[in-house]
Amino acid sequence: MKFFVAICMLFGLATAEYVVKNRENMLSYREECVKELGVPAELVEHIRKLASYLAYRCDELFEPGSCIFDETSYDCCDLFVPEYTENGQCLVFNSLISENSRKKKLFNEFYPLKLSTAGEGSGLQFVLRMNDSFLRAGTEVPFAMNLMIKEPNEWSPHKRYHLYSNTENLVSIDPMMVQTSTNTNKMHPKKRRCYFDNERNPNFPLTDMPYSRSNCIAACLQSSVLYHCRCTMPLFLPSIGG
């Protein structure tokens, strides 16, 4: 069983209707954005580094020695690495999206990590430092975070759990496996309304991620932003390649 846990501070993001575009359209919009706004690639990288600097670090959020996976104690910062999502920068576990996560796969053939057993207490456990010292003076909003669970190759999940201070939270995961008969391959994707792992929707532009429903939604969101704003935000949306 694969687990993906992301923790981040969330904020709202509203978009207009989705407009599906192919990869060539999206690359064209991006080039127009850079040309019209005169935004050099170096500045985009500086903004990315600034966002990383402002985000909470792993050693700030996790209580030392509190991370346990599969009944084994770990350094929390060895398990969690920074990663961008459409909601901002998160600290993720068992991901295959970020460069740091992909490096883990290169050096560990068993990554993403898997459980040797099941049941309560067998998964991932950690303690967060959620206290008033993280709050801005005068704010009336309670300090809280969101726990997001998704597949390792998924850009951003849509299921979130709110975590508040002075609480204990237990999340149960029940996996569902879907099997497809081999003769389904003979059907056209439009007729069976799905794609196999070795197939790809021709309008799906995210060349560095596998095709899936959630990644397709991320592509549609990016397409809508590019179409209406003539620009995109690399901190929150996946790269469309070049």
Side-chain angles (χ1 to χ4, degrees):
M1 183 187 303
K2 297 180 180 179
F3 285 92
F4 182 113
V5 179
I7 301 173
C8 69
M9 301 296 292
L10 300 182
F11 53 89
L13 178 63
T15 63
E17 60 179 330
Y18 293 134
V19 180
V20 178
K21 296 289 181 181
N22 58 32
R23 181 171 178 269
E24 286 70 26
N25 294 137
M26 299 175 77
L27 287 173
S28 176
Y29 289 148
R30 187 181 66 175
E31 291 172 359
E32 290 180 18
C33 170
V34 174
K35 182 178 180 180
E36 293 178 7
L37 300 180
V39 180
E42 294 79 8
L43 180 57
V44 174
E45 184 60 27
H46 288 327
I47 296 175
R48 185 187 296 270
K49 290 181 179 179
L50 176 61
S52 298
Y53 175 78
L54 295 175
Y56 290 114
R57 300 191 310 271
C58 173
D59 60 313
E60 292 178 318
L61 287 180
F62 292 97
E63 192 68 30
S66 67
C67 288
I68 300 175
F69 179 74
D70 198 20
E71 301 180 350
T72 302
S73 180
Y74 289 89
D75 183 332
C76 295
C77 296
D78 288 338
L79 291 181
F80 290 85
V81 296
E83 183 169 295
Y84 292 105
T85 72
E86 66 183 57
N87 300 295
Q89 180 170 292
C90 299
L91 289 171
V92 298
F93 163 73
N94 256 10
S95 169
L96 289 173
I97 296 296
S98 69
E99 182 179 353
N100 291 330
S101 297
R102 290 173 179 174
K103 287 181 180 178
K104 287 178 175 286
K105 179 67 174 178
L106 293 176
F107 295 103
N108 186 355
E109 61 178 321
F110 300 106
Y111 188 86
L113 303 178
K114 301 170 181 64
L115 290 171
S116 60
T117 183
E120 184 176 342
S122 63
L124 178 66
Q125 304 176 45
F126 53 85
V127 177
L128 295 175
R129 290 175 170 174
M130 301 172 63
N131 54 64
D132 293 340
S133 65
F134 288 145
L135 293 178
R136 182 179 301 173
T139 183
E140 297 181 357
V141 179
F143 185 78
M145 289 189 175
N146 285 288
L147 174 70
M148 305 190 297
I149 301 177
K150 62 179 182 178
E151 290 290 328
N153 281 310
E154 197 175 2
W155 177 260
S156 286
H158 298 279
K159 180 173 292 187
R160 303 179 178 92
Y161 301 89
H162 299 286
L163 306 180
Y164 296 96
S165 59
N166 301 315
T167 62
E168 181 181 10
N169 301 269
L170 302 177
V171 179
S172 175
I173 300 177
D174 296 317
M176 180 179 64
M177 180 178 293
V178 178
Q179 295 181 327
T180 307
S181 58
T182 54
N183 58 359
T184 310
N185 280 290
K186 301 177 182 179
M187 299 175 60
H188 193 277
K190 287 187 177 180
K191 187 174 183 180
R192 55 176 140 93
R193 302 177 65 183
C194 64
Y195 288 88
F196 286 95
D197 291 338
N198 62 335
E199 298 176 329
R200 192 179 190 86
N201 187 320
N203 291 322
F204 182 65
L206 304 179
T207 57
D208 58 346
M209 290 196 298
Y211 178 81
S212 66
R213 182 179 184 275
S214 58
N215 287 342
C216 184
I217 292 175
C220 288
L221 174 59
Q222 184 191 55
S223 176
S224 179
V225 173
L226 286 167
Y227 181 80
H228 292 283
C229 303
R230 314 295 286 185
C231 195
T232 184
M233 190 62 180
L235 297 183
F236 309 118
L237 298 174
S239 172
I240 58 176

